[in-house]
Amino acid sequence: MSGTGFQRGGASRRGVLAGMAAGLAAPAIVRAQTLFVDTPFQLGVASGDPSPDGFVIWTRLAPRPLEQHGGMPMAPVEVDYEVAADERFKTVVAKGQTLARPELGHSVHVEIAGLQPHRPYWYRFHIGRERSLTGRARTLPAPGSALERVRFVAGGCQNYEQGLYTAYRHVAEEDLDFFWHYGDYIYEERATPTATDHASGLPIPPIRVHVGDEPYSLDDYRLRYAQYKLDTDLQAAHAAHSWWVTWDDHEIDNNWASQWDQDGTPPEIFNLRRQAAAQAYYENMPLRKTSFPHGTAIQIFRRAAYGDLLNAHFLDTRQFRMDQPCGDNFKPVCPEALASDRTIMGAEEERWLFDGLAKSPTRWNLIANQVMMMPLDRRYADQHEAIWNMDSWAGYPAARKRLLDHIEAHDIKNVVVATGDEHQNYAGELRSGGRPDGKTLAVEFVATSISSGGDGSDLRKGSDVILANNPHLKFVNDQRGYAVCDVGRDVWKTDFRVVDAVSRPSAKIATRASFAVERGAPGLKPA
């Protein structure tokens, strides 16, 4: 068994070895015996995009993470890797060598293959005497195999300045088949040296501060990722589980949509920023070669089957959407939003999703989605007109109707939508025609943030009004944490797990609420 190291545009492993034997010196490869002043593995390790016979393992070399080039020489560096069937590495099942190239920020993405399905493996990296921490990965079950249970977490939205990542420490301790990150891995705002108390409105010291200004260049984004990845709670969650990752807006710029940003930047100029951000995202995520960026484009929507139990459809609702209507933000609907051709996924991805749902043989279908799908009237007081979030599916009601009509027409009664973005927990029902008063066709669980929004509280002001105005909405909560989805053959249960604070370390975790869905009978029930 062996792993396949990937560096886009680089030489094959055979070519690299031949070049080394010939005394390759332009540029010289930094040899494995190189001594680093500090360990090069400070950004941790990660695994992702599992298959029945393997997964991707990732690391990025940075002995001085917040310095130029992460403190690395401008040359390729040889990195050794090992994968074992046990955590003590007594039975090594795959090993090899790959190159960490400066063109990719000295990141490595090794695609491991030839392993056994549905079991854990352990992995690590070496450079001479330097060794990374050990990560744990899990392969997918064999296609079509009968499963009794799949357990995963939906989490994301991790503004570094607004809170500690204690929730990730708890994620690392969960028993999971995978972790799904729904986006906003980094936040692109410039450093904010002061914060504001939500209760008094007065300035207070920030919990922690971004390094540097708002990112525009590749080096800027690399620095921002390095700062986030230095967090050891985040590193623990990566090391403990295989991840599926998707992005939302803050990996590039708040509320971006296809070739448009929120500031009216000419598309050809904004696309330069998109290209830098897409490369930085790839460099810092455990993604396969199939997701290697080409200019501004990166393949993020993809699908994974967990035996006969769960088909997970991971969406991308940023790259291919139309611009937000009505000037974006929270406001009453305008005629532009109601156009019949409105799309949040683009035609190709929409066909891919519809086809996957119609042909899916599994007992459950997960739509892993970035922004809220259910229509939600955002009035929190006595406003006369309904208020909608134009950055969510509310700005694309025709696209939502097409999806729900497809689910109804094909009599698909096993769809659960999982979502992020909102920095609150929600549980609600998706009804026919995209109307709040229609027939229930699917359910949606919106997971809160890891840290974005600060400590929060049980309910935001006006939550009672929102619940009253939205009969399809069954639960709302304004604390930080994540959602645990426990998928059985006939019942799907979601626990909203929340921490008591993100402004201080060692916060405790608790289950705030739980809901169940019965297969074949869409609708929410308290669990």
Side-chain angles (χ1 to χ4, degrees):
M1 302 178 186
S2 63
T4 302
F6 164 63
Q7 304 291 333
R8 186 71 181 183
S12 68
R13 175 164 164 73
R14 179 178 298 175
V16 168
L17 293 175
M20 290 170 60
L24 181 65
I29 296 173
V30 178
R31 307 301 178 184
Q33 64 267 27
T34 298
L35 297 179
F36 292 92
V37 175
D38 296 302
T39 175
F41 296 112
Q42 293 187 47
L43 303 184
V45 300
S47 72
D49 275 27
S51 66
D53 74 336
F55 36 72
V56 177
I57 58 174
W58 169 96
T59 194
R60 178 181 158 205
L61 308 182
R64 299 286 175 86
L66 302 183
E67 294 183 5
Q68 188 177 31
H69 309 307
M72 290 293 295
M74 287 292 95
V77 177
E78 294 173 333
V79 182
D80 296 308
Y81 61 86
E82 295 177 287
V83 180
D86 62 290
E87 57 188 323
R88 294 188 177 182
F89 287 80
K90 291 183 178 180
T91 306
V92 174
V93 296
K95 63 180 180 179
Q97 191 174 82
T98 188
L99 288 181
R101 296 183 179 274
E103 296 93 333
L104 285 174
H106 286 102
S107 64
V108 298
H109 304 72
V110 183
E111 298 188 12
I112 305 297
L115 305 182
Q116 297 298 311
H118 202 207
R119 60 149 296 166
Y121 288 91
W122 288 261
Y123 64 94
R124 63 190 180 192
F125 297 91
H126 306 265
I127 302 177
R129 292 180 295 180
E130 303 288 351
R131 178 180 293 176
S132 73
L133 60 84
T134 296
R136 181 178 180 271
R138 178 178 286 275
T139 51
L140 292 184
S145 57
L147 296 185
E148 293 298 320
R149 185 188 191 198
V150 170
R151 198 166 188 266
F152 71 93
V153 159
C157 292
Q158 53 200 54
N159 192 313
Y160 185 85
E161 293 195 330
Q162 294 181 0
L164 304 176
Y165 291 169
T166 315
Y168 273 131
R169 181 65 55 174
H170 294 293
V171 166
E173 297 170 355
E174 299 274 5
D175 180 18
L176 304 176
D177 290 279
F178 66 94
F179 180 92
W180 169 55
H181 195 286
Y182 47 68
D184 293 347
Y185 193 98
I186 61 167
Y187 278 69
E188 83 290 1
E189 296 100 338
R190 66 179 182 179
T192 307
T194 60
T196 302
D197 180 75
H198 291 291
S200 66
L202 299 175
I204 57 174
I207 297 171
R208 46 191 184 177
V209 178
H210 282 142
V211 172
D213 208 331
E214 184 169 347
Y216 284 87
S217 71
L218 178 56
D219 283 342
D220 292 342
Y221 282 105
R222 284 171 172 169
L223 175 63
R224 187 58 53 89
Y225 278 102
Q227 184 177 20
Y228 277 55
K229 283 184 169 291
L230 280 169
D231 187 283
T232 53
D233 291 334
L234 174 57
Q235 288 185 19
H238 270 299
H241 307 296
S242 289
W243 284 37
W244 292 98
V245 297
T246 52
W247 65 11
D248 194 18
D249 54 339
H250 289 287
E251 287 86 356
I252 298 181
D253 185 44
N254 180 57
N255 281 21
W256 72 280
S258 185
Q259 59 184 329
W260 302 281
D261 73 358
Q262 62 179 349
D263 302 315
T265 303
E268 66 272 17
I269 302 300
F270 178 55
N271 283 347
L272 297 175
R273 186 180 187 182
R274 285 181 61 200
Q275 182 169 326
Q279 179 172 339
Y281 183 77
Y282 175 81
E283 289 177 355
N284 286 280
M285 296 294 125
L287 289 165
R288 291 183 178 270
K289 178 180 178 179
T290 50
S291 292
F292 193 89
H294 297 273
T296 63
I298 183 169
Q299 183 65 42
I300 295 293
F301 69 85
R302 55 213 191 282
R303 183 177 292 122
Y306 282 77
D308 71 340
L309 187 57
L310 178 68
N311 211 358
H313 313 266
F314 300 101
L315 302 191
D316 176 355
T317 57
R318 285 291 164 190
Q319 282 193 91
F320 313 112
R321 65 160 68 188
M322 293 179 171
D323 200 4
Q324 293 92 342
C326 316
D328 201 2
N329 300 313
F330 291 68
K331 57 188 57 175
V333 71
C334 68
E336 180 189 1
L338 302 177
S340 61
D341 64 344
R342 297 284 297 164
T343 179
I344 196 170
M345 291 185 290
E348 179 185 350
E349 185 179 353
E350 190 170 290
R351 286 193 299 270
W352 168 87
L353 176 60
F354 288 10
D355 187 58
L357 290 172
K359 296 180 179 178
S360 176
T362 55
R363 296 184 69 82
W364 293 95
N365 279 283
L366 164 67
I367 298 179
N369 163 63
Q370 287 73 50
V371 293
M372 184 181 284
M373 188 177 292
M374 72 178 108
L376 196 71
D377 183 348
R378 306 286 179 143
R379 283 179 291 181
Y380 58 88
D382 57 354
Q383 296 100 325
H384 296 297
E385 289 187 88
I387 304 294
W388 308 99
N389 178 4
M390 295 300 164
D391 188 54
S392 73
W393 286 69
Y396 308 80
R400 179 177 54 212
K401 184 177 184 300
R402 286 193 298 273
L403 173 57
L404 295 177
D405 286 353
H406 178 80
I407 290 172
E408 186 171 22
H410 289 80
D411 198 28
I412 307 170
K413 297 180 179 179
N414 60 358
V415 175
V416 174
V417 178
T419 303
D421 182 61
E422 294 284 341
H423 307 170
Q424 291 191 85
N425 288 310
Y426 292 93
E429 298 175 347
L430 291 157
R431 298 179 174 176
S432 58
R435 304 186 312 274
D437 58 347
K439 172 187 173 184
T440 299
L441 301 175
V443 302
E444 182 174 18
F445 296 112
V446 181
T448 186
S449 61
I450 293 292
S451 61
S452 302
D455 285 336
S457 58
D458 187 56
L459 291 174
R460 288 186 189 179
K461 182 179 179 181
S463 293
D464 55 337
V465 178
I466 289 177
L467 283 164
N469 286 336
N470 294 276
H472 57 297
L473 181 65
K474 306 302 180 183
F475 172 72
V476 62
N477 164 261
D478 183 29
Q479 291 170 282
R480 310 286 75 81
Y482 51 88
V484 179
C485 297
D486 200 331
V487 185
R489 295 192 70 78
D490 297 308
V491 177
W492 176 309
K493 179 172 172 282
T494 293
D495 297 328
F496 291 102
R497 302 275 281 162
V498 299
V499 292
D500 53 9
V502 293
S503 59
R504 61 179 187 274
S506 304
K508 297 180 180 179
I509 192 85
T511 298
R512 172 60 184 81
S514 299
F515 289 88
V517 187
E518 295 180 2
R519 181 178 178 273
L524 289 169
K525 298 179 180 179

